[in-house]
Amino acid sequence: MKKILLTLCVGLVFGGGLGLYIGWFVAPAQLTNVPPSALNEAGQEEYLRLVAAAYWRDDNLATARQRLTNLGREDLVDWLRETAVDTVLQSQSELEIRQIVYLASSIGLDSPAFAPYLPAKPVEASDGS
Amino acid sequence: MALNENGPVGRQRTRQRRQRLNIATASFLLLGLVLGLMGGLYYAWLVAPRNAQTATAAQLATAHQQDYIQMVSQAFAADGDWSRAEARLATLQRDDLAQTVLAQLEDALRQGAPVETVRDLAQVAERLGAQGSALALFAPTPVGGATPTAEAELNAAVPTATPTLLPTPTTNAPLAASPTPTLTALPSPSPTPTRQPTYRLLDQQQVCQEYSAVPLIEVTVVDGLFTELAAVEVIVSWEGGVDRFLTGFKAGAGAGYGDFVMEEGVSYAVSLGGETAVGGLRADKCPTGSAWRGWDLRFQYLGE
């Protein structure tokens, strides 16, 4: 009986290993119908910029929050602040900077880097132009 | 018993027992392998896929792709950067992008999405070259049949000399000095073909007009977003006569409203954009009461 159980365990170990090898390397899963949380890092950053642009356009904070939640990041707040600061430091487009600063500040984030762009969205820009 | 086991029968039984044991061992090994393989594949494909966070926008679920398109259209409306919007849309890797955006626009219309949402989508759909009735209704460009055009066409229709008051140049002239009025003929407008705006009749109702002492043809013109349009020329014709009016000049009424007083027994036709839209409009009395029964017409501007 011991020998049979041992054989079963050996089979499980080898089968499991083989399954992992096939599933990860030989025939990895093809991602389809995924949520935004499955996007790669660049895709998530682009998604964030789109969320900021859409929020700039429609002022719908609830939708913006929901979209950010869809990214499924545990470090969402820190990541958003970091990306916003990076955008302030690197982006050539003032509109893009203002959009992301507007989103970040609306969510309650703050940074000295945001200061030159606050208030991020003047009243006359409310039509999105 | 011991003799039996050591005998030929006993050895045969022992051999058979060993064979059974080997078969059972092999079966359990195989069972373990199969179960292990299934478990391994389940874990590797579903629980912790190796490429869990390597998806692109093209791999997003349909609902998220629609949301993505919506955001791209809003971003484009905000920054006007079409090349960037195009690059963002290209990441979706869809061959039928124009039709997809158009379908999304139609869905947004059905679901009563905010006007800005629809307009932003329409703008992108138009840029992508999509064509459809929804796009014609919600043309993203400001409607051209409105304010200046109708007035300009009205003026162009009557090319007459316009009196212009030209002040005579004088040096240190006192303010009281009156300038000499000069009649200057402006050059006649060149006969360039003008594109006629297109309208469609949304609604036509014969209504009891208790609020009016005379029967009226009441016309309201709206654009694709159902915003009332001012200064749209409406032509009313009848046997032996024609008249015209512009919407938006009735105090206390909407910007797209205009009306025309009817006479009893006369059949009227109403034209917009150079085409007769409605004919055979007659005024009569309401079945109950003494009020007049006139016509309420509602038109929508479709573009040029």
Side-chain angles (χ1 to χ4, degrees):
Chain A
M1 192 63 188
K2 268 187 182 176
K3 190 181 176 186
I4 288 175
L5 279 177
L6 188 68
T7 311
L8 182 66
C9 287
V10 169
L12 282 171
V13 169
F14 275 96
L18 186 64
L20 288 177
Y21 177 73
I22 292 173
W24 278 339
F25 301 103
V26 179
Q30 296 299 312
L31 296 178
T32 51
N33 295 325
V34 297
S37 57
L39 288 172
N40 56 33
E41 192 63 23
Q44 290 210 354
E45 281 189 17
E46 184 67 359
Y47 188 88
L48 171 61
R49 293 186 206 293
L50 282 173
V51 172
Y55 174 55
W56 175 274
R57 177 77 175 149
D58 63 16
D59 272 317
N60 190 335
L61 189 57
T63 303
R65 278 182 189 278
Q66 180 57 53
R67 284 168 169 160
L68 290 175
T69 307
N70 288 344
L71 287 172
R73 296 188 73 113
E74 290 175 3
D75 61 340
L76 181 64
V77 172
D78 293 336
W79 175 70
L80 175 54
R81 183 189 289 111
E82 199 177 306
T83 311
V85 170
D86 284 349
T87 305
V88 170
L89 298 178
Q90 294 165 10
S91 177
Q92 302 291 316
S93 162
E94 183 173 342
L95 178 62
E96 188 176 73
I97 293 172
R98 286 190 176 277
Q99 286 173 346
I100 202 158
V101 167
Y102 184 53
L103 175 66
S105 58
S106 296
I107 283 175
L109 300 181
D110 196 13
S111 165
F114 297 167
Y117 299 98
L118 291 174
K121 186 180 181 186
V123 177
E124 57 269 22
S126 61
D127 62 354
S129 54
Chain B
M1 193 68 179
L3 283 174
N4 284 345
E5 282 185 359
N6 291 332
V9 177
R11 278 200 297 273
Q12 191 179 351
R13 280 183 184 162
T14 307
R15 206 180 305 127
Q16 284 176 346
R17 213 181 297 139
R18 276 185 190 158
Q19 276 180 348
R20 273 194 225 112
L21 190 67
N22 285 342
I23 290 170
T25 306
S27 301
F28 274 89
L29 181 67
L30 193 64
L31 179 67
L33 277 170
V34 170
L35 288 177
L37 186 70
M38 287 168 63
L41 285 175
Y42 176 79
Y43 187 83
W45 282 345
L46 301 175
V47 179
R50 186 168 154 256
N51 50 5
Q53 285 204 311
T54 58
T56 64
Q59 291 158 310
L60 287 172
T62 308
H64 292 297
Q65 284 204 4
Q66 288 180 340
D67 194 39
Y68 193 89
I69 290 172
Q70 178 64 56
M71 288 193 290
V72 170
S73 73
Q74 288 178 300
F76 174 54
D79 63 19
D81 187 345
W82 176 242
S83 59
R84 190 172 192 194
E86 217 172 10
R88 281 168 161 166
L89 290 171
T91 61
L92 293 174
Q93 296 175 8
R94 296 188 71 115
D95 296 332
D96 58 343
L97 197 56
Q99 287 310 308
T100 303
V101 178
L102 186 61
Q104 191 170 333
L105 166 66
E106 290 169 354
D107 283 347
L109 286 173
R110 287 189 199 101
Q111 291 160 9
V115 166
E116 278 196 349
T117 302
V118 174
R119 192 177 287 159
D120 294 348
L121 280 171
Q123 209 170 348
V124 170
E126 192 189 44
R127 286 277 191 149
L128 289 170
Q131 289 181 336
S133 53
L135 199 56
L137 283 174
F138 286 82
T141 46
V143 285
T147 342
T149 314
E151 192 109 35
E153 284 179 6
L154 197 65
N155 292 338
V158 192
T160 51
T162 310
T164 310
L165 208 58
L166 296 176
T168 310
T170 51
T171 50
N172 298 327
L175 286 174
S178 60
T180 312
T182 315
L183 197 63
T184 310
L186 290 178
S188 342
S190 55
T192 47
T194 50
R195 294 166 70 188
Q196 290 290 339
T198 309
Y199 299 87
R200 71 166 178 168
L201 183 64
L202 282 180
D203 193 25
Q204 173 185 359
Q205 283 185 25
Q206 201 171 13
V207 290
C208 285
Q209 298 166 330
E210 282 93 357
Y211 44 84
S212 174
V214 289
L216 299 170
I217 295 174
E218 297 177 293
V219 175
T220 306
V221 184
V222 296
D223 67 5
L225 301 173
F226 296 96
T227 306
E228 293 197 12
L229 282 179
V232 175
E233 183 191 14
V234 181
I235 299 172
V236 181
S237 56
W238 61 95
E239 195 176 329
V242 64
D243 200 355
R244 62 189 75 207
F245 63 89
L246 296 177
T247 59
F249 287 89
K250 181 95 172 178
Y257 177 86
D259 59 29
F260 177 84
V261 178
M262 306 173 79
E263 284 182 21
E264 194 179 6
V266 179
S267 175
Y268 295 93
V270 173
S271 308
L272 271 87
E275 288 184 14
T276 301
V278 196
L281 304 177
R282 290 173 182 275
D284 55 15
K285 288 282 187 180
C286 286
T288 55
S290 60
W292 283 103
R293 197 157 63 155
W295 289 89
D296 184 13
L297 307 176
R298 196 169 171 81
F299 292 93
Q300 186 177 37
Y301 174 75
L302 297 178
E304 290 184 354

mmCIF file of all heavy atoms in Angstrom, chain B residues 48-76:
data_model
loop_
_atom_site.group_PDB
_atom_site.id
_atom_site.type_symbol
_atom_site.label_atom_id
_atom_site.label_comp_id
_atom_site.label_asym_id
_atom_site.label_seq_id
_atom_site.Cartn_x
_atom_site.Cartn_y
_atom_site.Cartn_z
ATOM 1 N N ALA B 48 -1.976 31.250 -12.320
ATOM 2 C CA ALA B 48 -0.824 32.159 -12.396
ATOM 3 C C ALA B 48 -0.177 32.077 -13.767
ATOM 4 O O ALA B 48 0.924 31.534 -13.913
ATOM 5 C CB ALA B 48 0.182 31.796 -11.303
ATOM 6 N N PRO B 49 -0.858 32.574 -14.790
ATOM 7 C CA PRO B 49 -0.236 32.522 -16.117
ATOM 8 C C PRO B 49 1.072 33.314 -16.133
ATOM 9 O O PRO B 49 1.178 34.344 -15.463
ATOM 10 C CB PRO B 49 -1.289 33.150 -17.033
ATOM 11 C CG PRO B 49 -2.278 33.798 -16.149
ATOM 12 C CD PRO B 49 -2.170 33.202 -14.807
ATOM 13 N N ARG B 50 1.995 32.810 -16.884
ATOM 14 C CA ARG B 50 3.332 33.416 -16.896
ATOM 15 C C ARG B 50 3.296 34.838 -17.452
ATOM 16 O O ARG B 50 4.023 35.705 -17.028
ATOM 17 C CB ARG B 50 4.244 32.535 -17.757
ATOM 18 C CG ARG B 50 5.681 32.952 -17.745
ATOM 19 C CD ARG B 50 6.531 31.861 -18.365
ATOM 20 N NE ARG B 50 7.757 32.405 -18.916
ATOM 21 C CZ ARG B 50 7.964 32.581 -20.205
ATOM 22 N NH1 ARG B 50 7.045 32.264 -21.068
ATOM 23 N NH2 ARG B 50 9.113 33.062 -20.623
ATOM 24 N N ASN B 51 2.393 35.070 -18.426
ATOM 25 C CA ASN B 51 2.309 36.401 -19.032
ATOM 26 C C ASN B 51 1.091 37.160 -18.499
ATOM 27 O O ASN B 51 0.358 37.775 -19.247
ATOM 28 C CB ASN B 51 2.249 36.282 -20.553
ATOM 29 C CG ASN B 51 1.184 35.287 -20.982
ATOM 30 O OD1 ASN B 51 0.446 34.765 -20.140
ATOM 31 N ND2 ASN B 51 1.092 35.031 -22.260
ATOM 32 N N ALA B 52 0.893 37.090 -17.174
ATOM 33 C CA ALA B 52 -0.316 37.663 -16.584
ATOM 34 C C ALA B 52 -0.445 39.156 -16.874
ATOM 35 O O ALA B 52 -1.532 39.653 -17.101
ATOM 36 C CB ALA B 52 -0.314 37.427 -15.088
ATOM 37 N N GLN B 53 0.637 39.884 -16.847
ATOM 38 C CA GLN B 53 0.544 41.333 -17.046
ATOM 39 C C GLN B 53 1.317 41.763 -18.276
ATOM 40 O O GLN B 53 2.160 42.657 -18.218
ATOM 41 C CB GLN B 53 1.054 42.046 -15.808
ATOM 42 C CG GLN B 53 0.032 41.966 -14.674
ATOM 43 C CD GLN B 53 0.203 43.077 -13.690
ATOM 44 O OE1 GLN B 53 1.293 43.331 -13.243
ATOM 45 N NE2 GLN B 53 -0.886 43.741 -13.334
ATOM 46 N N THR B 54 0.997 41.096 -19.359
ATOM 47 C CA THR B 54 1.672 41.461 -20.598
ATOM 48 C C THR B 54 0.663 41.764 -21.693
ATOM 49 O O THR B 54 1.024 41.821 -22.857
ATOM 50 C CB THR B 54 2.581 40.307 -21.070
ATOM 51 O OG1 THR B 54 1.751 39.147 -21.227
ATOM 52 C CG2 THR B 54 3.673 40.019 -20.081
ATOM 53 N N ALA B 55 -0.575 41.957 -21.304
ATOM 54 C CA ALA B 55 -1.615 42.174 -22.318
ATOM 55 C C ALA B 55 -1.503 43.577 -22.900
ATOM 56 O O ALA B 55 -0.966 44.492 -22.271
ATOM 57 C CB ALA B 55 -2.986 41.974 -21.699
ATOM 58 N N THR B 56 -2.005 43.703 -24.106
ATOM 59 C CA THR B 56 -2.100 45.027 -24.727
ATOM 60 C C THR B 56 -3.587 45.371 -24.839
ATOM 61 O O THR B 56 -4.459 44.547 -24.551
ATOM 62 C CB THR B 56 -1.472 45.008 -26.130
ATOM 63 O OG1 THR B 56 -2.240 44.112 -26.939
ATOM 64 C CG2 THR B 56 -0.030 44.558 -26.084
ATOM 65 N N ALA B 57 -3.829 46.576 -25.298
ATOM 66 C CA ALA B 57 -5.224 47.023 -25.413
ATOM 67 C C ALA B 57 -6.023 46.112 -26.337
ATOM 68 O O ALA B 57 -7.231 45.955 -26.179
ATOM 69 C CB ALA B 57 -5.261 48.457 -25.913
ATOM 70 N N ALA B 58 -5.327 45.491 -27.296
ATOM 71 C CA ALA B 58 -6.019 44.611 -28.240
ATOM 72 C C ALA B 58 -6.626 43.402 -27.554
ATOM 73 O O ALA B 58 -7.549 42.778 -28.078
ATOM 74 C CB ALA B 58 -5.047 44.150 -29.320
ATOM 75 N N GLN B 59 -6.090 43.069 -26.394
ATOM 76 C CA GLN B 59 -6.569 41.869 -25.700
ATOM 77 C C GLN B 59 -7.605 42.180 -24.634
ATOM 78 O O GLN B 59 -8.060 41.278 -23.935
ATOM 79 C CB GLN B 59 -5.370 41.136 -25.083
ATOM 80 C CG GLN B 59 -4.472 40.517 -26.148
ATOM 81 C CD GLN B 59 -3.069 40.270 -25.650
ATOM 82 O OE1 GLN B 59 -2.428 41.147 -25.090
ATOM 83 N NE2 GLN B 59 -2.587 39.064 -25.847
ATOM 84 N N LEU B 60 -7.969 43.441 -24.516
ATOM 85 C CA LEU B 60 -8.985 43.799 -23.527
ATOM 86 C C LEU B 60 -10.327 43.194 -23.906
ATOM 87 O O LEU B 60 -10.618 42.976 -25.089
ATOM 88 C CB LEU B 60 -9.130 45.322 -23.451
ATOM 89 C CG LEU B 60 -8.000 46.101 -22.771
ATOM 90 C CD1 LEU B 60 -8.218 47.595 -22.949
ATOM 91 C CD2 LEU B 60 -7.911 45.744 -21.295
ATOM 92 N N ALA B 61 -11.129 42.939 -22.894
ATOM 93 C CA ALA B 61 -12.487 42.449 -23.145
ATOM 94 C C ALA B 61 -13.283 43.525 -23.884
ATOM 95 O O ALA B 61 -12.938 44.715 -23.830
ATOM 96 C CB ALA B 61 -13.155 42.112 -21.824
ATOM 97 N N THR B 62 -14.321 43.093 -24.566
ATOM 98 C CA THR B 62 -15.090 44.015 -25.418
ATOM 99 C C THR B 62 -15.547 45.259 -24.660
ATOM 100 O O THR B 62 -15.405 46.381 -25.150
ATOM 101 C CB THR B 62 -16.313 43.279 -25.989
ATOM 102 O OG1 THR B 62 -15.858 42.076 -26.603
ATOM 103 C CG2 THR B 62 -17.021 44.127 -27.020
ATOM 104 N N ALA B 63 -16.069 45.044 -23.466
ATOM 105 C CA ALA B 63 -16.575 46.196 -22.699
ATOM 106 C C ALA B 63 -15.454 47.177 -22.385
ATOM 107 O O ALA B 63 -15.644 48.400 -22.461
ATOM 108 C CB ALA B 63 -17.217 45.711 -21.408
ATOM 109 N N HIS B 64 -14.290 46.633 -22.064
ATOM 110 C CA HIS B 64 -13.163 47.514 -21.746
ATOM 111 C C HIS B 64 -12.625 48.191 -23.014
ATOM 112 O O HIS B 64 -12.145 49.311 -22.962
ATOM 113 C CB HIS B 64 -12.061 46.730 -21.039
ATOM 114 C CG HIS B 64 -12.459 46.266 -19.671
ATOM 115 N ND1 HIS B 64 -12.767 47.149 -18.656
ATOM 116 C CD2 HIS B 64 -12.637 45.039 -19.158
ATOM 117 C CE1 HIS B 64 -13.094 46.472 -17.562
ATOM 118 N NE2 HIS B 64 -13.036 45.185 -17.857
ATOM 119 N N GLN B 65 -12.711 47.481 -24.144
ATOM 120 C CA GLN B 65 -12.293 48.110 -25.404
ATOM 121 C C GLN B 65 -13.216 49.286 -25.737
ATOM 122 O O GLN B 65 -12.773 50.317 -26.226
ATOM 123 C CB GLN B 65 -12.323 47.093 -26.541
ATOM 124 C CG GLN B 65 -11.149 46.131 -26.490
ATOM 125 C CD GLN B 65 -10.823 45.519 -27.846
ATOM 126 O OE1 GLN B 65 -11.429 45.868 -28.854
ATOM 127 N NE2 GLN B 65 -9.876 44.611 -27.868
ATOM 128 N N GLN B 66 -14.496 49.095 -25.477
ATOM 129 C CA GLN B 66 -15.440 50.186 -25.731
ATOM 130 C C GLN B 66 -15.130 51.376 -24.831
ATOM 131 O O GLN B 66 -15.172 52.530 -25.264
ATOM 132 C CB GLN B 66 -16.868 49.702 -25.508
ATOM 133 C CG GLN B 66 -17.342 48.758 -26.602
ATOM 134 C CD GLN B 66 -18.752 48.277 -26.377
ATOM 135 O OE1 GLN B 66 -19.268 48.324 -25.266
ATOM 136 N NE2 GLN B 66 -19.386 47.798 -27.433
ATOM 137 N N ASP B 67 -14.825 51.074 -23.592
ATOM 138 C CA ASP B 67 -14.465 52.144 -22.665
ATOM 139 C C ASP B 67 -13.188 52.840 -23.145
ATOM 140 O O ASP B 67 -13.058 54.061 -23.060
ATOM 141 C CB ASP B 67 -14.270 51.559 -21.269
ATOM 142 C CG ASP B 67 -14.230 52.636 -20.209
ATOM 143 O OD1 ASP B 67 -15.004 53.605 -20.324
ATOM 144 O OD2 ASP B 67 -13.434 52.530 -19.265
ATOM 145 N N TYR B 68 -12.269 52.043 -23.658
ATOM 146 C CA TYR B 68 -11.004 52.576 -24.177
ATOM 147 C C TYR B 68 -11.280 53.526 -25.346
ATOM 148 O O TYR B 68 -10.740 54.636 -25.398
ATOM 149 C CB TYR B 68 -10.138 51.395 -24.626
ATOM 150 C CG TYR B 68 -8.689 51.723 -24.893
ATOM 151 C CD1 TYR B 68 -7.740 51.651 -23.877
ATOM 152 C CD2 TYR B 68 -8.271 52.093 -26.161
ATOM 153 C CE1 TYR B 68 -6.413 51.944 -24.120
ATOM 154 C CE2 TYR B 68 -6.944 52.389 -26.410
ATOM 155 C CZ TYR B 68 -6.018 52.310 -25.385
ATOM 156 O OH TYR B 68 -4.701 52.609 -25.639
ATOM 157 N N ILE B 69 -12.149 53.087 -26.255
ATOM 158 C CA ILE B 69 -12.501 53.935 -27.414
ATOM 159 C C ILE B 69 -13.156 55.228 -26.930
ATOM 160 O O ILE B 69 -12.864 56.314 -27.430
ATOM 161 C CB ILE B 69 -13.439 53.165 -28.366
ATOM 162 C CG1 ILE B 69 -12.668 52.048 -29.069
ATOM 163 C CG2 ILE B 69 -14.075 54.099 -29.388
ATOM 164 C CD1 ILE B 69 -13.535 51.102 -29.878
ATOM 165 N N GLN B 70 -14.017 55.081 -25.939
ATOM 166 C CA GLN B 70 -14.675 56.266 -25.388
ATOM 167 C C GLN B 70 -13.642 57.255 -24.847
ATOM 168 O O GLN B 70 -13.704 58.460 -25.120
ATOM 169 C CB GLN B 70 -15.636 55.833 -24.277
ATOM 170 C CG GLN B 70 -16.355 56.970 -23.591
ATOM 171 C CD GLN B 70 -17.264 57.708 -24.540
ATOM 172 O OE1 GLN B 70 -18.121 57.091 -25.147
ATOM 173 N NE2 GLN B 70 -17.053 58.988 -24.710
ATOM 174 N N MET B 71 -12.683 56.731 -24.116
ATOM 175 C CA MET B 71 -11.670 57.612 -23.530
ATOM 176 C C MET B 71 -10.795 58.247 -24.616
ATOM 177 O O MET B 71 -10.428 59.413 -24.516
ATOM 178 C CB MET B 71 -10.810 56.831 -22.531
ATOM 179 C CG MET B 71 -11.545 56.480 -21.256
ATOM 180 S SD MET B 71 -10.442 55.905 -19.951
ATOM 181 C CE MET B 71 -9.915 54.317 -20.554
ATOM 182 N N VAL B 72 -10.488 57.468 -25.651
ATOM 183 C CA VAL B 72 -9.692 58.035 -26.747
ATOM 184 C C VAL B 72 -10.463 59.176 -27.406
ATOM 185 O O VAL B 72 -9.895 60.231 -27.723
ATOM 186 C CB VAL B 72 -9.341 56.942 -27.788
ATOM 187 C CG1 VAL B 72 -8.728 57.560 -29.027
ATOM 188 C CG2 VAL B 72 -8.376 55.932 -27.196
ATOM 189 N N SER B 73 -11.760 58.986 -27.590
ATOM 190 C CA SER B 73 -12.558 60.049 -28.224
ATOM 191 C C SER B 73 -12.603 61.288 -27.335
ATOM 192 O O SER B 73 -12.549 62.416 -27.835
ATOM 193 C CB SER B 73 -13.969 59.548 -28.540
ATOM 194 O OG SER B 73 -14.729 59.428 -27.356
ATOM 195 N N GLN B 74 -12.666 61.080 -26.034
ATOM 196 C CA GLN B 74 -12.681 62.233 -25.123
ATOM 197 C C GLN B 74 -11.317 62.929 -25.116
ATOM 198 O O GLN B 74 -11.249 64.155 -25.085
ATOM 199 C CB GLN B 74 -13.043 61.771 -23.711
ATOM 200 C CG GLN B 74 -14.508 61.382 -23.591
ATOM 201 C CD GLN B 74 -14.853 60.890 -22.198
ATOM 202 O OE1 GLN B 74 -14.291 59.912 -21.722
ATOM 203 N NE2 GLN B 74 -15.764 61.558 -21.538
ATOM 204 N N ALA B 75 -10.266 62.122 -25.155
ATOM 205 C CA ALA B 75 -8.924 62.708 -25.185
ATOM 206 C C ALA B 75 -8.730 63.511 -26.467
ATOM 207 O O ALA B 75 -8.162 64.610 -26.450
ATOM 208 C CB ALA B 75 -7.874 61.608 -25.080
ATOM 209 N N PHE B 76 -9.235 62.974 -27.565
ATOM 210 C CA PHE B 76 -9.117 63.683 -28.843
ATOM 211 C C PHE B 76 -9.913 64.988 -28.815
ATOM 212 O O PHE B 76 -9.461 66.019 -29.316
ATOM 213 C CB PHE B 76 -9.601 62.780 -29.986
ATOM 214 C CG PHE B 76 -9.645 63.468 -31.318
ATOM 215 C CD1 PHE B 76 -8.524 64.105 -31.829
ATOM 216 C CD2 PHE B 76 -10.815 63.499 -32.061
ATOM 217 C CE1 PHE B 76 -8.562 64.753 -33.058
ATOM 218 C CE2 PHE B 76 -10.871 64.140 -33.282
ATOM 219 C CZ PHE B 76 -9.739 64.774 -33.781
#
